[in-house]
């Protein structure tokens, strides 16, 4: 029995090692599949409402790719790409993009104050939680908890994401339900303000 247990531990341990992410392999996939929309190294997307992928968090990126592939998160533009990726490919991609450096963005100075107020303090009168609680004071996220980096993300993408959460189009799991609840209480001006603040947050 002891030998059997040792064998199982070794087998599953080796299987775990085989699944370790390979950023180099992820870079190759990125160059072939992703650069045309998300830009070189995931920092300069073709469209401003596409995500900057650099440094968002390996676990977060992997889970987003998995959710898109399963259909839980609806991103029609990516379905043709993720359909051809297996789990190892997605882990490799996530590892590669997480190692890239997010560019420094610039916030619209006219909206920074309102955006900072919401990001740091939320709005207790409406039960709007502060972004800082999950994403940190500098927007660097919380990798172990699976909360992504926000700092430097394009304002246009953050606006699109918050509106998708608000409409329910991007609500499919526990963390997205939290975001859906928060976004449902924000108007367009508030969404734009917090998005601008996030792009310039460092």
């Amino acid at each position: 029995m002891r030998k059997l247990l040792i064998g199982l531990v070794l087998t599953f341990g080796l299987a775990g090692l085989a699944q370790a992410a390979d950023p180099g392999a992820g870079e190759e996939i990125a160059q072939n599949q992703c650069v045309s929309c998300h830009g070189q190294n995931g920092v300069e997307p073709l469209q401003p409402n596409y995500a900057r992928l650099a440094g968002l968090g390996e676990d977060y990126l992997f889970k987003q790719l998995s959710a898109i592939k399963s259909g839980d998160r609806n991103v029609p533009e990516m379905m043709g790409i993720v359909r051809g990726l297996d789990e190892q490919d997605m882990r490799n991609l996530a590892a590669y993009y997480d190692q890239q450096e997010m560019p420094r963005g610039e916030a619209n100075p006219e909206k920074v104050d309102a955006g900072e107020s919401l990001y740091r303090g939320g709005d207790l009168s409406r039960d709007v939680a502060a972004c800082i609680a999950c994403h940190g004071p500098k927007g660097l996220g919380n990798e172990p908890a699976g909360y992504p980096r926000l700092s430097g993300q394009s304002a246009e993408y953050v606006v699109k994401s918050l509106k998708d959460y608000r409409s329910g189009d991007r609500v499919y799991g526990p963390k997205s339900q939290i975001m859906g609840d928060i976004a449902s209480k924000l108007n367009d001006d508030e969404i734009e303000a917090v998005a601008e603040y996030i792009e310039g947050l460092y």
Side-chain angles (χ1 to χ4, degrees), residues 65-167:
L65 286 167
S66 299
I68 293 168
K69 182 171 182 175
S70 71
D72 289 339
R73 180 178 170 191
N74 183 31
V75 185
E77 304 93 327
M78 288 189 62
M79 285 306 297
I81 293 171
V82 296
R83 189 178 293 121
L85 302 179
D86 61 24
E87 179 178 332
Q88 188 65 46
D89 291 332
M90 293 189 290
R91 290 191 183 280
N92 294 343
L93 263 177
Y96 166 69
Y97 278 121
D98 186 46
Q99 290 184 356
Q100 307 312 303
E101 187 174 347
M102 178 72 80
R104 297 181 70 89
E106 291 185 17
N108 181 339
E110 296 179 4
K111 299 185 178 182
V112 165
D113 289 344
E116 181 177 17
S117 177
L118 278 170
Y119 185 91
R120 295 190 172 278
D123 187 341
L124 295 179
S125 69
R126 292 180 293 156
D127 255 353
V128 176
C131 311
I132 195 174
C134 295
H135 298 284
K138 294 186 177 181
L140 300 180
N142 183 337
E143 172 73 5
Y147 294 111
R149 174 190 177 123
L150 298 180
S151 169
Q153 187 60 261
S154 74
E156 290 90 344
Y157 178 73
V158 176
V159 167
K160 179 182 183 302
S161 295
L162 287 172
K163 288 183 176 179
D164 285 347
Y165 282 123
R166 185 174 66 182
S167 70

Side-chain angles (χ1 to χ4, degrees), residues 151-202:
S151 169
Q153 187 60 261
S154 74
E156 290 90 344
Y157 178 73
V158 176
V159 167
K160 179 182 183 302
S161 295
L162 287 172
K163 288 183 176 179
D164 285 347
Y165 282 123
R166 185 174 66 182
S167 70
D169 287 347
R170 194 172 163 175
V171 174
Y172 55 86
K175 288 188 175 67
S176 63
Q177 287 170 357
I178 293 170
M179 288 302 307
D181 179 64
I182 293 169
S184 70
K185 299 165 186 171
L186 301 178
N187 61 40
D188 286 354
D189 287 341
E190 290 169 327
I191 284 176
E192 289 174 12
V194 78
E196 287 289 344
Y197 178 72
I198 283 168
E199 182 165 2
L201 176 60
Y202 290 97

Side-chain angles (χ1 to χ4, degrees), residues 30 33-47 49-54 56 61 65 68 73 75 77-78 81 93 97 153 157:
Q33 303 281 352
C34 312
V35 70
S36 59
C37 288
H38 293 284
Q40 196 69 32
N41 303 326
V43 300
E44 290 299 335
L46 178 68
Q47 301 290 338
N49 63 342
Y50 290 170
R52 291 172 178 160
L53 302 178
L56 294 188
L61 287 164
L65 286 167
I68 293 168
R73 180 178 170 191
V75 185
E77 304 93 327
M78 288 189 62
I81 293 171
L93 263 177
Y97 278 121
Q153 187 60 261
Y157 178 73

Side-chain angles (χ1 to χ4, degrees), residues 1-17:
M1 179 60 122
R2 185 177 177 185
K3 289 182 179 178
L4 175 61
L5 288 174
I6 292 172
L8 287 171
V9 168
L10 288 173
T11 299
F12 285 111
L14 290 173
L17 289 174

